[in-house]
Amino acid sequence: MMKKTTLSQQYFCDYFREWVVTYKEGAIRSVTMKKYHATLWWIKTLAPQLRLSELTRINYQKLLNDYAKQHERQTTMDFHHQLKGAILDAVDEGLLLIDPTRKAIIKGKAPAVKKNKYLNQFELQALLNHLNLSTSLTWDWFILLVAKTGMRFSEALAITPEDFDFSHQTLHVNKTWNYKEQGGFSPTKNRSSVRKIQIDWQTVIQFSQLIKALPEGKPIFSHLILGNGRVYNSTLNGILSRACKKANIAEISIHGLRHTHASLLLFAGVSIASVARRLGHSSMTTTQHTYLHIIQELENQDTDIVMRHLAGLC
């Protein structure tokens, strides 16, 4: 058994690598695991000689600052959170006397100009009007399904015929498609992501006809997926981008359709709790953080309503 003094002299990158293997390997999704491996790579690149015992607040802040020079603030924040998990365990084990991550300042490059995150109701309607919805399932039908349900890209790819319950107008989301690797079904992002989404009658009628002859247990869009099980997000974004141009509206991504779905529900007066459940968020906090700008706009509208109501009391 190595003494604590010896353990504290090991390189921080080695401690982090062992921590990831011990606590994360086999417990998180492969996509998330890749992010931890990327974090390890950056530690080795930016501070290969930094020992665990040398992790003072100043040295830790310097590591964050060096990382922030090449990354946006949110990415730096994610980097910080992964490092912090390992460092707090080192503190608990007595390998560090203080928490060097305390009061860390998160910096980062200015965010790149991004595409619009969501469409308004009229823009969405224009987009749907320009989709080529033929009698067989195409990527245009995929776009419609995501717009109507707010599913994540990987969730929509994994939908099979038996996931539809047409009599109760629901769609059961209980798996994802591992589109970044060799294909195949994978678990959902979290337990809250397993859910039943209510769908409208028009969608029920459309998809009941489209999938009636499809085999069970197989994704309904499987004939569009490459032979190696992979689907490129950029391919779908390209199809959606062309449809947006035809409709003469702002271009958005497939994930932007999910934001559009949630935004329209919030503007329609649907509660944050209901939107969170429909999106499969692990907590309402996630929903509130993601759609803060919309919630603030709705609160301003609420204030106007309250003032008009009070002014009418005399």
Side-chain angles (χ1 to χ4, degrees):
M1 192 77 175
M2 294 179 69
K3 293 182 179 180
K4 287 183 179 179
T5 52
T6 304
L7 289 171
S8 64
Q9 289 304 307
Q10 65 183 311
Y11 292 125
F12 176 50
C13 58
D14 291 336
Y15 175 82
F16 185 81
R17 176 182 50 76
E18 186 178 347
W19 180 83
V20 170
V21 171
T22 304
Y23 292 101
K24 300 300 178 182
E25 204 167 79
I28 57 177
R29 301 195 312 162
S30 59
V31 173
T32 309
M33 193 66 178
K34 286 180 179 178
K35 294 178 181 178
Y36 278 97
H37 287 158
T39 296
L40 175 60
W41 185 89
W42 277 106
I43 298 172
K44 289 180 176 178
T45 301
L46 298 174
Q49 303 297 315
L50 178 64
R51 297 186 185 278
L52 195 58
S53 60
E54 298 170 339
L55 263 177
T56 61
R57 285 186 59 201
I58 290 179
N59 285 339
Y60 182 74
Q61 187 65 58
K62 286 179 179 177
L63 175 59
L64 286 185
N65 291 349
D66 289 341
Y67 183 85
K69 290 175 184 177
Q70 302 179 58
H71 297 87
E72 293 181 12
R73 187 178 184 279
Q74 184 56 55
T75 309
T76 306
M77 178 69 78
D78 295 340
F79 179 72
H80 163 64
H81 283 156
Q82 291 196 344
L83 295 183
K84 187 173 182 177
I87 290 172
L88 289 180
D89 278 351
V91 173
D92 289 343
E93 293 171 22
L95 303 180
L96 288 170
L97 297 178
I98 63 166
D99 172 16
T101 69
R102 192 175 66 87
K103 294 185 178 181
I105 306 300
I106 308 303
K107 305 175 184 179
K109 296 195 305 181
V113 178
K114 294 181 173 64
K115 293 182 180 179
N116 284 5
K117 281 193 173 182
Y118 65 92
L119 304 174
N120 62 38
Q121 184 173 349
F122 302 105
E123 291 171 328
L124 178 60
Q125 190 59 62
L127 170 64
L128 299 184
N129 289 342
H130 280 79
L131 293 179
N132 181 20
L133 302 176
S134 59
T135 55
S136 59
L137 284 167
T138 62
W139 286 129
D140 279 21
W141 281 109
F142 182 90
I143 290 170
L144 175 71
L145 188 62
V146 172
K148 288 286 191 85
T149 62
M151 284 188 290
R152 298 179 178 92
F153 181 59
S154 58
E155 293 172 343
L157 286 172
I159 292 298
T160 56
E162 61 269 28
D163 292 329
F164 287 93
D165 184 344
F166 295 120
S167 60
H168 293 92
Q169 291 182 239
T170 60
L171 180 57
H172 192 193
V173 178
N174 53 25
K175 56 192 175 301
T176 62
W177 185 258
N178 188 8
Y179 67 94
K180 291 184 177 179
E181 296 176 354
Q182 289 79 39
F185 295 118
S186 294
T188 53
K189 186 174 184 180
N190 50 58
R191 279 188 287 182
S192 301
S193 297
V194 177
R195 63 202 187 277
K196 289 186 178 180
I197 301 175
Q198 207 74 30
I199 53 178
D200 62 277
W201 269 111
Q202 185 180 20
T203 303
V204 166
I205 293 170
Q206 290 170 324
F207 277 85
S208 62
Q209 295 301 310
L210 287 164
I211 71 168
K212 62 183 179 181
L214 297 181
E216 290 191 359
K218 197 173 182 181
I220 63 174
F221 296 103
S222 61
H223 62 291
L224 302 172
I225 297 174
L226 297 175
N228 59 6
R230 300 193 66 176
V231 182
Y232 295 97
N233 200 291
S234 58
T235 302
L236 269 295
N237 284 337
I239 294 171
L240 177 56
S241 179
R242 288 191 289 275
C244 288
K245 287 179 181 177
K246 286 181 182 178
N248 197 29
I249 60 173
E251 296 175 48
I252 62 168
S253 64
I254 288 290
H255 196 69
L257 287 177
R258 178 171 161 85
H259 287 312
T260 297
H261 183 81
S263 302
L264 294 182
L265 291 181
L266 289 169
F267 277 123
V270 178
S271 70
I272 296 174
S274 295
V275 172
R277 283 195 298 270
R278 191 170 175 90
L279 294 180
H281 282 164
S282 55
S283 71
M284 282 193 292
T285 304
T286 303
T287 315
Q288 289 170 323
H289 176 75
T290 307
Y291 302 102
L292 180 62
H293 60 297
I294 295 172
I295 293 168
Q296 289 174 336
E297 188 174 336
L298 291 172
E299 286 176 346
N300 291 336
Q301 293 177 13
D302 287 344
T303 301
D304 293 339
I305 294 170
V306 170
M307 291 301 100
R308 286 199 301 270
H309 174 72
L310 294 177
L313 297 175
C314 55

